[in-house]
Amino acid sequence: RVEFSQDFDKVQLHRSNANGDLFPRLAWDGVNPTGFTVVVMTTPLDTSKALIPGVAWSVNMSDRDVFPISNDTFGVSLLADYSMWDPIFGAYRVSSASAAPLVGLFPFGQGQLVIGKQRSIYRAINFSGDLSTAAIEVVTNEVGVWARLSFKMIGSDAIFLARTGFYRMSQTDQTLLQTSPVPVGAHQDALGRVTDPIAPLIARINWAYADKAVSAVLSPYYFCAVPIDGSTVNNAVLVYNTISDSWDAYDT
């Protein structure tokens, strides 16, 4: 499995296999005719730091490479140096209260990093520059991010696939994040009853393989490919209209 990420002036290539084995990172500056080469420490004599580990994926946040370590821990590289990290001060624990895996890490602006686990969502605040004041807070324990590549920003909001449908995350003010109380496209009446027209289709998703769902945004539409009717690969594309807050169609 191969995935790319952009870090400063380099493109990183992450490699993993179906058994969960990880391989050293490769990087390319877009110019070197050799192509991708194995990432090495910029200052190998600095014994207080370590080589950035090989991981299945990573993201860039405020001039740092941010990557998963375990089900409840993620790491960050040195500032403006994706090749090295501090294993002691550069590792952040999210929560050990749940065995649900850490699914994704998503920059959200205003120095906030959204941390999606399968059944909960957290955020790291003050996550830029000097990280000595960074802190991790709970956003919700009601829903989580089921598929990392389903998470997409639409303007200042994000849409993602959770176990019970698709949800929207918004920044309610300069400091707070909030997830929608009901799935997108669903409506709640005065008595609290929820009507969700896409619920029958959501029930057809093969959740054992839905973590591989992928999405794209072409304004005003959000597209998400999911496996339905027992398929082990994505075989249906759901189309959500972000302006009308409705599911317009799905293609198989």
Side-chain angles (χ1 to χ4, degrees):
R1 297 175 179 173
V2 171
E3 189 163 325
F4 297 96
S5 64
Q6 181 80 33
D7 276 298
F8 321 122
D9 61 340
K10 304 290 194 303
V11 176
Q12 290 200 66
L13 189 156
H14 304 289
R15 300 173 294 164
S16 60
N17 63 25
N19 296 324
D21 299 322
L22 301 170
F23 303 91
R25 300 187 189 201
L26 305 177
W28 184 45
D29 62 5
V31 177
N32 188 339
T34 304
F36 285 89
T37 57
V38 175
V39 173
V40 296
M41 294 175 63
T42 52
T43 54
L45 298 181
D46 187 349
T47 57
S48 66
K49 305 299 186 294
L51 176 67
I52 205 83
V55 292
W57 53 269
S58 71
V59 297
N60 185 279
M61 170 77 178
S62 301
D63 292 332
R64 295 178 188 270
D65 187 82
V66 188
F67 52 91
I69 297 176
S70 69
N71 278 353
D72 56 16
T73 307
F74 66 93
V76 299
S77 74
L78 302 185
L79 186 64
D81 185 348
Y82 69 88
S83 72
M84 300 168 57
W85 76 303
D86 187 326
I88 297 176
F89 297 105
Y92 291 82
R93 193 163 191 182
V94 182
S95 170
S96 58
S98 169
L102 190 158
V103 173
L105 302 162
F106 313 101
F108 206 88
Q110 301 289 334
Q112 298 183 89
L113 178 72
V114 171
I115 306 151
K117 300 191 76 175
Q118 260 191 357
R119 300 189 180 278
S120 56
I121 298 175
Y122 300 79
R123 68 166 183 162
I125 60 173
N126 300 326
F127 208 76
S128 61
D130 179 5
L131 300 184
S132 61
T133 61
I136 296 176
E137 302 175 344
V138 177
V139 175
T140 177
N141 284 315
E142 301 298 320
V143 296
V145 180
W146 197 265
R148 176 171 57 91
L149 297 180
S150 74
F151 192 103
K152 281 289 183 292
M153 296 298 299
I154 299 180
S156 59
D157 291 357
I159 293 180
F160 57 93
L161 175 64
R163 181 60 178 83
T164 52
F166 291 85
Y167 287 80
R168 194 161 185 154
M169 178 182 293
S170 305
Q171 185 164 318
T172 56
D173 58 32
Q174 291 187 347
T175 59
L176 295 177
L177 294 181
Q178 180 176 303
T179 56
S180 52
V182 297
V184 296
H187 303 282
Q188 191 171 26
D189 64 19
L191 299 178
R193 295 172 298 195
V194 177
T195 302
D196 187 0
I198 203 176
L201 186 56
I202 296 296
R204 292 166 59 186
I205 292 177
N206 185 353
W207 291 103
Y209 293 90
D211 60 312
K212 303 301 187 300
V214 296
S215 63
V217 172
L218 182 61
S219 185
Y221 297 103
Y222 166 86
F223 302 85
C224 191
V226 297
I228 65 171
D229 299 336
S231 175
T232 60
V233 296
N234 296 329
N235 63 340
V237 179
L238 285 57
V239 186
Y240 171 68
N241 188 320
T242 64
I243 294 177
S244 63
D245 185 27
S246 62
W247 292 95
D248 284 1
Y250 76 96
D251 295 297
T252 58

